[in-house]
Amino acid sequence: MKIETLAIHAGQHPDPTSGAVMTPIVLSSTFAQDGPGNHKGYDYSRSGNPTRGTLEACAAALEGARHGLAFASGCAATTTILHTLRPGDHIICGDDVYGGTFRIIDKVMQPMGISATFVDMTDLALTEAAFRPETKMVWLETPSNPMLKVFDIERVCAIASRKGVPVIVDNTFATPMIQQPLGLGATAVVHSSTKYLNGHSDVVGGLVMTSDDELVQKLRFLQNAMGAVPSPFDCFLVLRGLKTLPVRMDRHAANAQTIAAWLRRHHDVARVYYPGNDDHPQRELIRRQMKTPGGMISFVIKAAGGSVAERSQKFLAALKVFTCAESLGGVESLIELPAVMTHASVPAETRAALGIDDGLIRISVGLEAVDDLVADLEHAFSASH
Ligand code: P1T
């Protein structure tokens, strides 16, 4: 079946007791056993829950995976995967990742004896050179947050596979509608389902999908043992969000393509980072790897009088349709300054090296009428002079 059909039906059947077409929210924390240890598949809701199980099955189908695991947040999913590592192990991570992911690796895992090398994976020779005998995991986001770099999943996986090292791809920005990393050789995919998968900015959640039976056993153990599981209500909401993911992603990308092209022509804009740009340094790869360029754009405004950072602040304050907020992937358009918001936990010198300047602006293009979005941006350019 095609992904649009799977998004609506995978893992779902009318409820056998009531005939309910939509998956019920099973709130019970515990499940009756016919005798000690003799249950119908569920014993305690941290270990497994029917609503969560349905979400896990549907999400797995979308990524073409055999298994799905749901977590209380994207960071909980990330932390759980990283706990498959042991002291002395080494991880190679793409150099541009969500600030919270950088913080987990830098501030939580490194003190536990896991070393990390952050690499610009657009350079495959550099990536290969970063491997050590103790390298046990490769982690990448593509497109990356917030610089929208695109890494070649297939080639990075080929290098890692020669070394026997699993590759984890954070597919939050792209979603399975744009690319399916498991088909390109990745071992597992991680998502902040807070974003496009849920799509309505009313849930914090995470998902991991994999077809690796050995890895999923370790992750299931950790999901239960560490306990960072989502509520059944949140699972219901993400499951509902998935049903419209295919239509939402098309509109996000269409609106973003219009806005990115308009920004590039604008005399007040210094630079635009968007995978749909025809001068994007990875444009050949993008054509091969991504079905659409997605809904995220970063750009740098030109200074007017004061510094670029000052103008960015004024620009954000003047917007009426875009909301200044962290996060992305909801129906509504959001705008933020990564250096002081989502990527504040990345050290200033690292941010500078990556191009996350104090004035860099990131937008998550929503589903509003694109003319209204352009008019809102145009007004803010004028008002921030
Ligand atoms: O916020 P949480 O659900 O825990 O997900 C963390 C996460 C993981 N991976 C990527 C690529 C992300 O962008 C995020 C969260 N990002 C934001 C909150 C943001 O505004 O970028």
Side-chain angles (χ1 to χ4, degrees), residues 64-131:
R66 272 205 296 278
H67 315 286
L69 294 166
F71 293 89
S73 67
C75 284
T78 298
T79 307
T80 305
I81 296 177
L82 292 174
H83 271 74
T84 60
L85 298 172
R86 290 286 166 265
D89 288 353
H90 171 248
I91 175 169
I92 300 173
C93 184
D95 61 348
D96 190 38
V97 286
Y98 168 55
T101 303
F102 176 84
R103 182 171 54 198
I104 297 169
I105 295 174
D106 188 45
K107 295 277 187 320
V108 180
M109 302 313 291
Q110 299 225 59
M112 291 168 66
I114 285 132
S115 59
T117 308
F118 293 88
V119 183
D120 178 359
M121 291 187 186
T122 56
D123 186 333
L124 293 169
L126 207 64
T127 307
E128 182 144 22
F131 279 81

Side-chain angles (χ1 to χ4, degrees), residues 72-76 78 97-101 141 143 145 170-173 190-195 203-206 296 325-328 336 342-343 362:
S73 67
C75 284
T78 298
V97 286
Y98 168 55
T101 303
E141 263 176 33
N145 183 0
D170 184 330
N171 206 23
T172 299
F173 269 36
V190 61
H191 277 274
S192 168
S193 51
T194 315
K195 312 298 185 313
V203 168
V204 172
M296 297 298 297
E326 302 202 5
S327 204
L328 59 114
E336 65 122 6
T342 52
H343 290 70
R362 189 192 76 180

Side-chain angles (χ1 to χ4, degrees), residues 102-186:
F102 176 84
R103 182 171 54 198
I104 297 169
I105 295 174
D106 188 45
K107 295 277 187 320
V108 180
M109 302 313 291
Q110 299 225 59
M112 291 168 66
I114 285 132
S115 59
T117 308
F118 293 88
V119 183
D120 178 359
M121 291 187 186
T122 56
D123 186 333
L124 293 169
L126 207 64
T127 307
E128 182 144 22
F131 279 81
R132 302 183 197 159
E134 64 273 22
T135 304
K136 293 287 158 57
M137 190 176 284
V138 174
W139 189 285
L140 66 108
E141 263 176 33
T142 180
S144 66
N145 183 0
M147 298 309 295
L148 285 316
K149 285 192 198 179
V150 177
F151 300 130
D152 191 327
I153 300 171
E154 199 167 16
R155 294 217 174 117
V156 172
C157 288
I159 296 169
S161 146
R162 284 201 296 278
K163 318 254 180 203
V165 174
V167 178
I168 316 296
V169 176
D170 184 330
N171 206 23
T172 299
F173 269 36
T175 83
M177 297 313 304
I178 291 179
Q179 67 196 15
Q180 292 171 309
L182 299 183
L184 300 173

